[in-house]
Amino acid sequence: MIRPLSLRRPALVAAAALGAFTLGTLPAAATSSPAQITTSKTNGVAYLKSLQAADGSYAGSGLSNEWAFSALAAAGTAAVDVTPGGDTSKNARSVYRNLLSTTAWPSSSPVVTDYERAVLNAYAAGIDPARVSASRDLIADIYGYWQTSETGYFGPSANFNGTVFAALALNGAKTQSGQARIPGALRDSVVARIRANQHNDGGWNYGKAEGNPSQLAATSDIDMTGAAMAALCTSGVPGTDSGIVRAKAFLKSKLVANSGAFNAMFGVNTDSNGWAVSGLNACGINPQTGDFLTSAGKTPVDFLIAQQFNPGGGFRYQPGDASPTAYSSIDALRAVAGGGFTAAPPAPTTPGAPQWVGQGSFTSGTATKLALSVDDGAGGLKVCSVALTPTGTTTTLGAVLDAAKSTATPSGCVTDITPASGSGTVTTLNGKANSGSNTWKASIDGSAFATATRDTTIGVGDTIAVRWGA
């Protein structure tokens, strides 16, 4: 199955391997109690801490364990508090932020899921994903993969998981004040595509199904059903929505009574269970009661905890495996801790460490990108990443719209603007003029829409939405 991340680190730290293989008493054959869940979280966090490299990293050359930040946050542990041998200068958050800030990251041929993974984990680590550095805005990076010929998709539509994780990242990673940063028109466009890809059996798969009867009739995947459910609910769809109810029924139909596992496409395994439980968590559906308590008194959480080595804390991939894997341990801990696919960063315990870090202003002369959407009020939505080089610590809306005419990815986000200079009110954009109470308005980072003027101040990492309407 295609996943939006590299699955495993080639080798585990020796100390992690030794500690994680210590097998203790497995949970009783019943619904997991709060005490069992607390113990699972404590031991799981300890295992994930043991995966940290000596330089403080979880990702980078030979490593791809950054999903640990989403699991740690769900379990109440701040990434800045995770240090190798107590060396706070190498705390996990700082090291990860430095990695994301480099020009070589993620690779010479990136895909949209690279940036989606980074948004979800940077957010959980307490790094504002739109303000990683003066040059790195991960929200803008995602906007650059908008599909102009298939609006609502991010990245090639055949790889539907890229659109699912765009919804998770863009809606889940809120501003530092907790505000949804993208406009409703964009959110609705992506939700419509996710709905259109729901299979007849109520679930989803990683590939595109929309418009293809044979694919819509194909058996769904447990993992992507959990992710798509979370994407919808993170986008504001209620847990009582008919699409969520159908997905819930699909998952219920795959439950194994004697273990609480889901019978996944590749067999019973911890990762699939973790993704499904995270989907249920995101939709406010209790994975230990009602439809998810089997006739044998087992739940999906029971299954996950049964895969954990204690006191080592790691989780095996499949029942009977003799050792844990990093990826399974991350997926399981995040789910057992009640998390979806990201979580707001916990308050750090390290003295003086802030909950959030992020670039505070543009650096004059340093090239950067900004996220821009333009909604003509008649169903025409354009989304793009705008490249520009600020000449001060802030810029203006006019400067961004001017730059978008030639530097937007994808192109065509802005074709013309009136006035073409100065500081006045925007009266025409993309050939559409103000008319009575229907005028061009702008929103920054999810703020209320207000009259769009060329001199509207734009700061580093601002997510800009421009809309025509009353």
Side-chain angles (χ1 to χ4, degrees):
M1 185 184 69
I2 297 174
R3 289 189 185 275
L5 68 163
S6 299
L7 297 190
R8 293 180 174 84
R9 177 178 171 182
L12 298 179
V13 178
L18 291 173
F21 296 173
T22 305
L23 183 61
T25 302
L26 293 177
T31 300
S32 298
S33 68
Q36 287 176 308
I37 290 173
T38 296
T39 298
S40 178
K41 288 164 57 178
T42 298
N43 292 343
V45 166
Y47 174 73
L48 294 195
K49 286 182 176 180
S50 76
L51 299 180
Q52 187 177 30
D55 64 359
S57 62
Y58 277 85
S61 179
L63 294 171
S64 186
N65 290 334
E66 62 262 57
W67 278 107
F69 301 134
S70 65
L72 289 168
T77 296
V80 70
D81 294 331
V82 180
T83 62
D87 185 349
T88 57
S89 69
K90 297 178 181 177
N91 73 79
R93 179 171 72 183
S94 294
V95 173
Y96 188 49
R97 185 184 181 191
N98 289 339
L99 172 68
L100 298 179
S101 299
T102 61
T103 56
W105 182 89
S107 71
S108 59
S109 53
V111 293
V112 67
T113 49
D114 291 330
Y115 300 109
E116 293 160 355
R117 178 182 69 245
V119 165
L120 291 164
N121 288 292
Y123 176 76
I127 304 165
D128 188 328
R131 299 171 176 86
V132 176
S133 68
S135 59
R136 176 70 72 191
D137 178 342
L138 293 167
I139 303 298
D141 287 327
I142 293 175
Y143 269 39
Y145 287 83
W146 176 257
Q147 301 297 293
T148 55
S149 61
E150 295 182 283
T151 57
Y153 283 106
F154 282 90
S157 63
N159 295 332
F160 171 62
N161 63 325
T163 297
V164 169
F165 276 82
L168 286 167
L170 296 176
N171 294 295
K174 295 179 169 54
T175 65
Q176 294 183 35
S177 62
Q179 176 71 39
R181 67 178 86 220
I182 70 168
L186 174 53
R187 187 161 44 251
D188 292 345
S189 180
V190 179
V191 164
R193 291 298 191 179
I194 296 174
R195 289 188 186 279
N197 279 276
Q198 188 168 20
H199 290 211
N200 300 342
D201 62 12
W204 286 265
N205 212 326
Y206 62 84
K208 181 182 179 183
E210 181 181 7
N212 186 328
S214 64
Q215 287 300 313
L216 290 169
T219 301
S220 296
D221 172 48
I222 296 294
D223 308 49
M224 283 307 299
T225 297
M229 288 178 70
L232 289 175
C233 291
T234 302
S235 302
V237 174
T240 54
D241 177 85
S242 60
I244 300 301
V245 172
R246 290 176 58 211
K248 179 181 171 183
F250 167 73
L251 291 179
K252 178 184 177 182
S253 75
K254 298 296 182 179
L255 266 179
V256 179
N258 64 1
S259 68
F262 292 106
N263 189 12
M265 187 177 294
F266 299 108
V268 166
N269 69 84
T270 296
D271 295 313
S272 295
N273 253 62
W275 280 38
V277 171
S278 284
L280 294 171
N281 290 339
C283 290
I285 299 169
N286 191 329
Q288 290 218 95
T289 61
D291 289 337
F292 298 99
L293 177 62
T294 74
S295 58
K298 292 299 189 113
T299 75
V301 174
D302 291 337
F303 173 79
L304 291 174
I305 292 180
Q307 306 317 306
Q308 189 173 28
F309 292 87
N310 287 308
F315 292 76
R316 55 173 66 82
Y317 172 61
Q318 289 185 311
D321 286 354
S323 60
T325 69
Y327 190 61
S328 295
S329 300
I330 290 166
D331 282 345
L333 176 60
R334 185 173 57 232
V336 169
F341 286 80
T342 192
T349 59
T350 300
Q355 183 180 17
W356 290 98
V357 291
Q359 181 74 17
S361 62
F362 291 116
T363 299
S364 181
T366 296
T368 190
K369 298 176 183 178
L370 289 169
L372 172 67
S373 62
V374 180
D375 177 7
D376 68 2
L381 178 65
K382 297 178 183 293
V383 177
C384 60
S385 173
V386 180
L388 73 163
T389 301
T391 57
T393 56
T394 63
T395 189
T396 64
L397 178 61
V400 175
L401 296 176
D402 289 341
K405 290 189 290 184
S406 59
T407 69
T409 304
S411 61
C413 212
V414 175
T415 56
D416 60 86
I417 176 175
T418 303
S421 61
S423 60
T425 297
V426 174
T427 57
T428 302
L429 186 63
N430 293 347
K432 190 160 189 172
N434 292 344
S435 177
S437 62
N438 290 305
T439 62
W440 286 103
K441 298 175 175 65
S443 165
I444 310 299
D445 273 357
S447 66
F449 279 87
T451 299
T453 62
R454 286 190 60 93
D455 64 353
T456 298
T457 299
I458 302 296
V460 65
D462 283 349
T463 299
I464 307 163
V466 182
R467 183 187 73 190
W468 187 91

